[in-house]
PDB file of all heavy atoms in Angstrom:
ATOM      1  N   ILE A  67     118.481  97.991 106.800  1.00 98.00           N
ATOM      2  CA  ILE A  67     118.209  97.486 105.451  1.00 98.00           C
ATOM      3  C   ILE A  67     118.045  98.688 104.515  1.00 98.00           C
ATOM      4  O   ILE A  67     117.184  99.542 104.749  1.00 98.00           O
ATOM      5  CB  ILE A  67     116.882  96.660 105.412  1.00 98.00           C
ATOM      6  CG1 ILE A  67     116.939  95.474 106.385  1.00 98.00           C
ATOM      7  CG2 ILE A  67     116.550  96.204 104.000  1.00 98.00           C
ATOM      8  CD1 ILE A  67     117.797  94.316 105.940  1.00 98.00           C
ATOM      9  N   ALA A  68     118.856  98.727 103.454  1.00 98.00           N
ATOM     10  CA  ALA A  68     118.704  99.800 102.466  1.00 98.00           C
ATOM     11  C   ALA A  68     117.451  99.493 101.652  1.00 98.00           C
ATOM     12  O   ALA A  68     117.333  98.416 101.059  1.00 98.00           O
ATOM     13  CB  ALA A  68     119.934  99.865 101.571  1.00 98.00           C
ATOM     14  N   ALA A  69     116.492 100.405 101.667  1.00 98.00           N
ATOM     15  CA  ALA A  69     115.227 100.160 100.960  1.00 98.00           C
ATOM     16  C   ALA A  69     114.548 101.488 100.651  1.00 98.00           C
ATOM     17  O   ALA A  69     114.506 102.378 101.497  1.00 98.00           O
ATOM     18  CB  ALA A  69     114.300  99.301 101.829  1.00 98.00           C
ATOM     19  N   ASP A  70     114.036 101.595  99.423  1.00 97.00           N
ATOM     20  CA  ASP A  70     113.284 102.788  99.023  1.00 97.00           C
ATOM     21  C   ASP A  70     111.836 102.599  99.483  1.00 97.00           C
ATOM     22  O   ASP A  70     111.172 101.651  99.059  1.00 97.00           O
ATOM     23  CB  ASP A  70     113.359 102.933  97.499  1.00 97.00           C
ATOM     24  CG  ASP A  70     112.601 104.156  96.997  1.00 97.00           C
ATOM     25  OD1 ASP A  70     111.853 104.789  97.785  1.00 97.00           O
ATOM     26  OD2 ASP A  70     112.759 104.492  95.808  1.00 97.00           O
ATOM     27  N   ALA A  71     111.366 103.510 100.322  1.00 96.00           N
ATOM     28  CA  ALA A  71     110.009 103.389 100.875  1.00 96.00           C
ATOM     29  C   ALA A  71     108.946 103.398  99.776  1.00 96.00           C
ATOM     30  O   ALA A  71     107.833 102.925  99.982  1.00 96.00           O
ATOM     31  CB  ALA A  71     109.745 104.516 101.871  1.00 96.00           C
ATOM     32  N   ALA A  72     109.267 103.919  98.599  1.00 96.00           N
ATOM     33  CA  ALA A  72     108.272 104.015  97.540  1.00 96.00           C
ATOM     34  C   ALA A  72     108.238 102.773  96.650  1.00 96.00           C
ATOM     35  O   ALA A  72     107.455 102.713  95.707  1.00 96.00           O
ATOM     36  CB  ALA A  72     108.537 105.259  96.692  1.00 96.00           C
ATOM     37  N   SER A  73     109.097 101.796  96.925  1.00 98.00           N
ATOM     38  CA  SER A  73     109.165 100.602  96.079  1.00 98.00           C
ATOM     39  C   SER A  73     108.533  99.401  96.766  1.00 98.00           C
ATOM     40  O   SER A  73     108.902  99.036  97.882  1.00 98.00           O
ATOM     41  CB  SER A  73     110.639 100.307  95.743  1.00 98.00           C
ATOM     42  OG  SER A  73     110.856  98.927  95.568  1.00 98.00           O
ATOM     43  N   ARG A  74     107.579  98.771  96.080  1.00 98.00           N
ATOM     44  CA  ARG A  74     106.891  97.613  96.675  1.00 98.00           C
ATOM     45  C   ARG A  74     107.872  96.491  96.966  1.00 98.00           C
ATOM     46  O   ARG A  74     107.860  95.896  98.044  1.00 98.00           O
ATOM     47  CB  ARG A  74     105.779  97.123  95.747  1.00 98.00           C
ATOM     48  CG  ARG A  74     105.087  95.877  96.300  1.00 98.00           C
ATOM     49  CD  ARG A  74     103.753  95.607  95.610  1.00 98.00           C
ATOM     50  NE  ARG A  74     103.869  95.583  94.162  1.00 98.00           N
ATOM     51  CZ  ARG A  74     104.327  94.534  93.469  1.00 98.00           C
ATOM     52  NH1 ARG A  74     104.712  93.439  94.085  1.00 98.00           N
ATOM     53  NH2 ARG A  74     104.388  94.592  92.149  1.00 98.00           N
ATOM     54  N   GLU A  75     108.757  96.218  96.000  1.00 98.00           N
ATOM     55  CA  GLU A  75     109.733  95.132  96.183  1.00 98.00           C
ATOM     56  C   GLU A  75     110.596  95.410  97.419  1.00 98.00           C
ATOM     57  O   GLU A  75     110.849  94.527  98.226  1.00 98.00           O
ATOM     58  CB  GLU A  75     110.656  94.998  94.956  1.00 98.00           C
ATOM     59  CG  GLU A  75     109.979  94.431  93.718  1.00 98.00           C
ATOM     60  CD  GLU A  75     109.076  95.454  93.026  1.00 98.00           C
ATOM     61  OE1 GLU A  75     109.234  96.671  93.281  1.00 98.00           O
ATOM     62  OE2 GLU A  75     108.185  95.028  92.262  1.00 98.00           O
ATOM     63  N   ASP A  76     111.062  96.667  97.534  1.00 98.00           N
ATOM     64  CA  ASP A  76     111.930  97.017  98.668  1.00 98.00           C
ATOM     65  C   ASP A  76     111.183  96.870  99.995  1.00 98.00           C
ATOM     66  O   ASP A  76     111.727  96.381 100.977  1.00 98.00           O
ATOM     67  CB  ASP A  76     112.448  98.461  98.535  1.00 98.00           C
ATOM     68  CG  ASP A  76     113.603  98.556  97.550  1.00 98.00           C
ATOM     69  OD1 ASP A  76     113.808  97.585  96.781  1.00 98.00           O
ATOM     70  OD2 ASP A  76     114.300  99.583  97.551  1.00 98.00           O
ATOM     71  N   CYS A  77     109.923  97.299 100.020  1.00 98.00           N
ATOM     72  CA  CYS A  77     109.147  97.205 101.274  1.00 98.00           C
ATOM     73  C   CYS A  77     108.962  95.753 101.669  1.00 98.00           C
ATOM     74  O   CYS A  77     109.102  95.387 102.842  1.00 98.00           O
ATOM     75  CB  CYS A  77     107.781  97.885 101.120  1.00 98.00           C
ATOM     76  SG  CYS A  77     107.928  99.672 101.024  1.00 98.00           S
ATOM     77  N   GLU A  78     108.660  94.904 100.692  1.00 97.00           N
ATOM     78  CA  GLU A  78     108.445  93.482 101.013  1.00 97.00           C
ATOM     79  C   GLU A  78     109.750  92.833 101.458  1.00 97.00           C
ATOM     80  O   GLU A  78     109.778  92.033 102.395  1.00 97.00           O
ATOM     81  CB  GLU A  78     107.798  92.772  99.811  1.00 97.00           C
ATOM     82  CG  GLU A  78     106.323  93.188  99.725  1.00 97.00           C
ATOM     83  CD  GLU A  78     105.598  92.726  98.465  1.00 97.00           C
ATOM     84  OE1 GLU A  78     106.236  92.071  97.601  1.00 97.00           O
ATOM     85  OE2 GLU A  78     104.398  93.045  98.340  1.00 97.00           O
ATOM     86  N   ARG A  79     110.866  93.230 100.811  1.00 98.00           N
ATOM     87  CA  ARG A  79     112.177  92.693 101.213  1.00 98.00           C
ATOM     88  C   ARG A  79     112.516  93.128 102.639  1.00 98.00           C
ATOM     89  O   ARG A  79     113.028  92.345 103.450  1.00 98.00           O
ATOM     90  CB  ARG A  79     113.247  93.215 100.222  1.00 98.00           C
ATOM     91  CG  ARG A  79     114.641  92.674 100.442  1.00 98.00           C
ATOM     92  CD  ARG A  79     115.552  92.989  99.261  1.00 98.00           C
ATOM     93  NE  ARG A  79     115.505  94.394  98.859  1.00 98.00           N
ATOM     94  CZ  ARG A  79     116.122  95.379  99.484  1.00 98.00           C
ATOM     95  NH1 ARG A  79     116.839  95.129 100.564  1.00 98.00           N
ATOM     96  NH2 ARG A  79     116.035  96.631  99.057  1.00 98.00           N
ATOM     97  N   LEU A  80     112.173  94.361 102.962  1.00 98.00           N
ATOM     98  CA  LEU A  80     112.443  94.890 104.312  1.00 98.00           C
ATOM     99  C   LEU A  80     111.653  94.103 105.376  1.00 98.00           C
ATOM    100  O   LEU A  80     112.200  93.694 106.401  1.00 98.00           O
ATOM    101  CB  LEU A  80     112.069  96.379 104.328  1.00 98.00           C
ATOM    102  CG  LEU A  80     111.988  97.114 105.657  1.00 98.00           C
ATOM    103  CD1 LEU A  80     113.328  97.089 106.378  1.00 98.00           C
ATOM    104  CD2 LEU A  80     111.558  98.576 105.422  1.00 98.00           C
ATOM    105  N   VAL A  81     110.384  93.888 105.098  1.00 98.00           N
ATOM    106  CA  VAL A  81     109.530  93.171 106.059  1.00 98.00           C
ATOM    107  C   VAL A  81     110.000  91.724 106.209  1.00 98.00           C
ATOM    108  O   VAL A  81     110.097  91.194 107.322  1.00 98.00           O
ATOM    109  CB  VAL A  81     108.043  93.251 105.618  1.00 98.00           C
ATOM    110  CG1 VAL A  81     107.158  92.351 106.467  1.00 98.00           C
ATOM    111  CG2 VAL A  81     107.567  94.698 105.689  1.00 98.00           C
ATOM    112  N   ASN A  82     110.354  91.082 105.087  1.00 98.00           N
ATOM    113  CA  ASN A  82     110.844  89.694 105.159  1.00 98.00           C
ATOM    114  C   ASN A  82     112.140  89.613 105.943  1.00 98.00           C
ATOM    115  O   ASN A  82     112.345  88.692 106.739  1.00 98.00           O
ATOM    116  CB  ASN A  82     111.051  89.118 103.752  1.00 98.00           C
ATOM    117  CG  ASN A  82     109.705  88.836 103.098  1.00 98.00           C
ATOM    118  OD1 ASN A  82     108.709  88.634 103.789  1.00 98.00           O
ATOM    119  ND2 ASN A  82     109.678  88.835 101.773  1.00 98.00           N
ATOM    120  N   ALA A  83     113.044  90.591 105.729  1.00 98.00           N
ATOM    121  CA  ALA A  83     114.332  90.582 106.439  1.00 98.00           C
ATOM    122  C   ALA A  83     114.102  90.730 107.944  1.00 98.00           C
ATOM    123  O   ALA A  83     114.736  90.054 108.758  1.00 98.00           O
ATOM    124  CB  ALA A  83     115.226  91.707 105.923  1.00 98.00           C
ATOM    125  N   ARG A 123     102.337 106.795  99.394  1.00 98.00           N
ATOM    126  CA  ARG A 123     102.328 105.431  98.862  1.00 98.00           C
ATOM    127  C   ARG A 123     103.260 104.550  99.686  1.00 98.00           C
ATOM    128  O   ARG A 123     102.963 103.383  99.948  1.00 98.00           O
ATOM    129  CB  ARG A 123     102.759 105.465  97.394  1.00 98.00           C
ATOM    130  CG  ARG A 123     102.695 104.128  96.708  1.00 98.00           C
ATOM    131  CD  ARG A 123     102.832 104.297  95.196  1.00 98.00           C
ATOM    132  NE  ARG A 123     102.560 103.050  94.529  1.00 98.00           N
ATOM    133  CZ  ARG A 123     103.486 102.145  94.244  1.00 98.00           C
ATOM    134  NH1 ARG A 123     104.742 102.362  94.558  1.00 98.00           N
ATOM    135  NH2 ARG A 123     103.166 101.019  93.636  1.00 98.00           N
ATOM    136  N   LEU A 127     102.362 100.947 101.265  1.00 98.00           N
ATOM    137  CA  LEU A 127     103.085  99.707 100.936  1.00 98.00           C
ATOM    138  C   LEU A 127     103.593  99.015 102.199  1.00 98.00           C
ATOM    139  O   LEU A 127     103.458  97.800 102.352  1.00 98.00           O
ATOM    140  CB  LEU A 127     104.272 100.021 100.007  1.00 98.00           C
ATOM    141  CG  LEU A 127     103.917 100.500  98.599  1.00 98.00           C
ATOM    142  CD1 LEU A 127     105.180 100.989  97.879  1.00 98.00           C
ATOM    143  CD2 LEU A 127     103.241  99.387  97.800  1.00 98.00           C
ATOM    144  N   MET A 128     104.162  99.800 103.106  1.00 98.00           N
ATOM    145  CA  MET A 128     104.714  99.219 104.337  1.00 98.00           C
ATOM    146  C   MET A 128     103.592  98.690 105.240  1.00 98.00           C
ATOM    147  O   MET A 128     103.708  97.628 105.838  1.00 98.00           O
ATOM    148  CB  MET A 128     105.529 100.271 105.110  1.00 98.00           C
ATOM    149  CG  MET A 128     106.911 100.534 104.557  1.00 98.00           C
ATOM    150  SD  MET A 128     107.942  99.064 104.465  1.00 98.00           S
ATOM    151  CE  MET A 128     108.057  98.568 106.184  1.00 98.00           C
ATOM    152  N   ARG A 130     100.599  97.682 104.404  1.00 98.00           N
ATOM    153  CA  ARG A 130     100.010  96.455 103.839  1.00 98.00           C
ATOM    154  C   ARG A 130     100.894  95.251 104.152  1.00 98.00           C
ATOM    155  O   ARG A 130     100.417  94.218 104.625  1.00 98.00           O
ATOM    156  CB  ARG A 130      99.812  96.614 102.330  1.00 98.00           C
ATOM    157  CG  ARG A 130      99.114  95.419 101.704  1.00 98.00           C
ATOM    158  CD  ARG A 130      98.822  95.631 100.246  1.00 98.00           C
ATOM    159  NE  ARG A 130     100.035  95.839  99.461  1.00 98.00           N
ATOM    160  CZ  ARG A 130     100.059  96.111  98.165  1.00 98.00           C
ATOM    161  NH1 ARG A 130      98.930  96.238  97.496  1.00 98.00           N
ATOM    162  NH2 ARG A 130     101.187  96.285  97.530  1.00 98.00           N
ATOM    163  N   ALA A 131     102.203  95.406 103.902  1.00 98.00           N
ATOM    164  CA  ALA A 131     103.111  94.269 104.103  1.00 98.00           C
ATOM    165  C   ALA A 131     103.187  93.882 105.584  1.00 98.00           C
ATOM    166  O   ALA A 131     103.119  92.700 105.930  1.00 98.00           O
ATOM    167  CB  ALA A 131     104.498  94.622 103.563  1.00 98.00           C
TER     168      ALA A 131
END
Side-chain angles (χ1 to χ4, degrees):
I67 302 285
D70 180 350
S73 150
R74 177 164 52 79
E75 289 76 18
D76 281 15
C77 289
E78 286 171 359
R79 184 168 49 78
L80 168 60
V81 171
N82 287 335
R123 184 167 189 269
L127 292 171
M128 282 303 298
R130 184 175 61 183

